[in-house]
Amino acid sequence: MAAPSLASTSERCHEIAQSYLQIEEPLSQIIRETQNAIKLTQKLLLNEIFPRWSPFNGEISFSYNGGKDCQVLLIIYLGCLWEYYKTNMNGQEFPLKTLKAVFIDQDKTFQTLEQFVESTKKRYSLSLYESDRNHTKALSMPEAFHKYLGDQPETKAIVVGIRYADPFAQDLKPIQRTDDGWPDFLRLQPLLHWKLAYIWSFLLYSGEPICGIYSVGFSSLGDINHTLPNPYLAKTNDLPLRYQWEITHGCEGVVNCSPLSSQDSHFQNNEYLPGWYLLDDSLERCGRIKKN
Ligand code: ATP
C-alpha cells in the first residue's frame, strides 16, 4: 500500500487532536487536564513558534526517536501544521512532501524500537536523518547534532519532546538556545508541561501504533544495556488500567502496539503490565540503570 501523503497525515492528526479536545463526557480529571495541555502546546506552536520559524522552509527539524513523548508531540505538531496551512495558505497546494526529522542513534537501541521508527517514518512522512549507526565510534549527542547541522545548515530550530519530569528539565523553557558545549540552535520544547498520564491518555485515545516494547513493562526507553522493565509495573503490584474509556471510545477502539522483534521476544513473559499502567511521573525511569 502506498504511504499516505504528509498533507493527509497532517489532516488526520488534526482530526485526532480535535476529537480529543471535543470529549465532553465523561470528563475525568486526566482528560480535562490533557485537553488543557494540548491547547497550550497548540498555542505555543501556532502563535509563538511557526510565525518565527516557518514550518514550511526547512528552518525547523523534529527530533524523533520513536518514544512515546516525541510521538505525542509529532501528532500534535502535524495537526498544527495542517491548521497553519489552512489558515495561511488555503487554496494553495500543501507545501511539504515530507517532514524534516532527526534521529540520533547514540547507543544500541531495542530492535522493536528501530523497527517502529522505520514504520512510523513512512506513516508520518518523515524525511529522517539518521546519525551514523556504527556503534564502535558512537558520537555524543552534541557531536551528532553538530554533524547534523553541518549537513543541514538551514536548520535553525529543533523540536524536542522533553517534559519537566525528565532529568535536568525542571528549569527549561519552551523556546531556548542550546547550552554551552552544544552547537548553536533553538530548542523548541512545547511538551514541557505534559505529565505522564496525559501522554498515555492522548496516545491511547489516538489509536495510533505505539512502539511494542512499551507493552511488555517498559515505561521509558534508554539504550538496551541500561533499560529494563520497570519494577513498579510487575503484575504482582496489581495496578488498575486508568485509560479504558480512552481506548474504547478513541479513534480506533483498540490499543495498537507494533510487533515485538525476534530479539526482544523474550520480554513477552507475562510478568509485567504495559507501560501505560504507570501513573506516577517520578517512577517513569525506574527501569533505567544508571550509566557509570
Ligand atoms: P521515553 O521517555 O518513553 O523514552 P521519549 O524518547 O519520547 O520517550 P525522552 O527519552 O525523555 O522521551 O527524550 C525526550 C525527547 O528528546 C524525545 O521526545 C525526542 O524529541 C528527543 N530525543 C531523545 N533521544 C533522541 C534521539 N536519540 N534522537 C533524536 N531525538 C531524541
Side-chain angles (χ1 to χ4, degrees):
M1 203 171 65
S5 70
L6 182 60
S8 64
T9 304
S10 300
E11 186 175 12
R12 186 171 52 78
C13 289
H14 186 258
E15 281 162 11
I16 291 172
Q18 290 314 108
S19 167
Y20 191 98
L21 288 175
Q22 281 158 13
I23 301 171
E24 285 176 350
E25 295 291 339
L27 205 52
S28 69
Q29 190 178 341
I30 290 178
I31 294 180
R32 187 163 36 79
E33 290 178 6
T34 308
Q35 289 177 331
N36 290 334
I38 294 171
K39 285 183 204 158
L40 180 53
T41 300
Q42 290 176 328
K43 203 167 136 211
L44 285 164
L45 287 166
L46 292 167
N47 300 350
E48 313 260 339
I49 293 175
F50 290 169
R52 286 165 76 184
W53 300 280
S54 167
F56 297 131
N57 70 0
E59 285 179 345
I60 300 183
S61 185
F62 195 102
S63 72
Y64 182 73
N65 65 347
K68 63 188 185 310
D69 301 333
C70 55
Q71 189 183 2
V72 162
L73 184 53
L74 181 60
I75 296 166
I76 296 177
Y77 184 95
L78 288 171
C80 286
L81 205 59
W82 181 255
E83 190 164 333
Y84 199 68
Y85 155 71
K86 289 300 266 185
T87 309
N88 297 295
M89 310 174 79
N90 203 10
Q92 298 176 42
E93 197 180 334
F94 193 78
L96 288 180
K97 296 264 182 283
T98 56
L99 185 80
K100 222 172 96 164
V102 48
F103 175 34
I104 306 299
D105 189 32
Q106 247 190 329
D107 296 301
K108 200 157 171 31
T109 48
F110 293 93
Q111 195 186 40
T112 305
L113 184 69
E114 286 186 13
Q115 291 174 353
F116 181 73
V117 168
E118 204 47 42
S119 65
T120 47
K121 188 165 113 180
K122 295 194 190 83
R123 183 175 185 88
Y124 299 117
S125 304
L126 304 179
S127 114
L128 189 66
Y129 173 101
E130 293 172 60
S131 64
D132 193 352
R133 283 183 170 250
N134 182 349
H135 296 290
T136 54
K137 49 171 184 165
L139 301 175
S140 68
M141 270 292 184
E143 285 168 340
F145 274 104
H146 185 77
K147 188 164 182 314
Y148 174 65
L149 293 172
D151 289 349
Q152 309 232 348
E154 70 285 4
T155 311
K156 294 198 167 55
I158 299 182
V159 183
V160 185
I162 194 165
R163 297 187 286 117
Y164 285 128
D166 290 329
F168 312 110
Q170 63 272 29
D171 296 324
L172 294 179
K173 298 185 179 59
I175 301 174
Q176 69 184 144
R177 285 215 167 270
T178 42
D179 298 333
D180 287 347
W182 277 75
D184 186 35
F185 62 86
L186 266 306
R187 294 171 349 180
L188 309 177
Q189 304 167 148
L191 202 72
L192 281 172
H193 56 285
W194 282 61
K195 292 192 175 154
L196 181 61
Y198 310 164
I199 295 288
W200 285 123
S201 176
F202 180 72
L203 200 51
L204 291 167
Y205 181 87
S206 77
E208 289 292 284
I210 295 170
C211 177
I213 202 79
Y214 288 116
S215 68
V216 285
F218 290 82
S219 51
S220 177
L221 309 177
D223 76 81
I224 202 164
N225 296 319
H226 296 89
T227 314
L228 293 169
N230 189 323
Y232 289 94
L233 286 166
K235 281 198 173 158
T236 46
N237 292 333
D238 203 20
L239 300 171
L241 172 60
R242 296 297 176 100
Y243 310 107
Q244 190 57 58
W245 189 91
E246 284 89 328
I247 296 167
T248 315
H249 296 85
C251 301
E252 299 294 330
V254 286
V255 182
N256 184 2
C257 276
S258 72
L260 279 186
S261 72
S262 51
Q263 259 179 32
D264 298 331
S265 57
H266 61 284
F267 289 119
Q268 190 99 59
N269 54 17
N270 235 10
E271 286 174 20
Y272 292 91
L273 293 164
W276 49 89
Y277 278 70
L278 195 74
L279 275 185
D280 186 341
D281 287 78
S282 68
L283 304 179
E284 185 181 346
R285 288 181 181 244
C286 288
R288 298 263 195 123
I289 306 165
K290 284 213 168 62
K291 294 183 187 179
N292 294 324

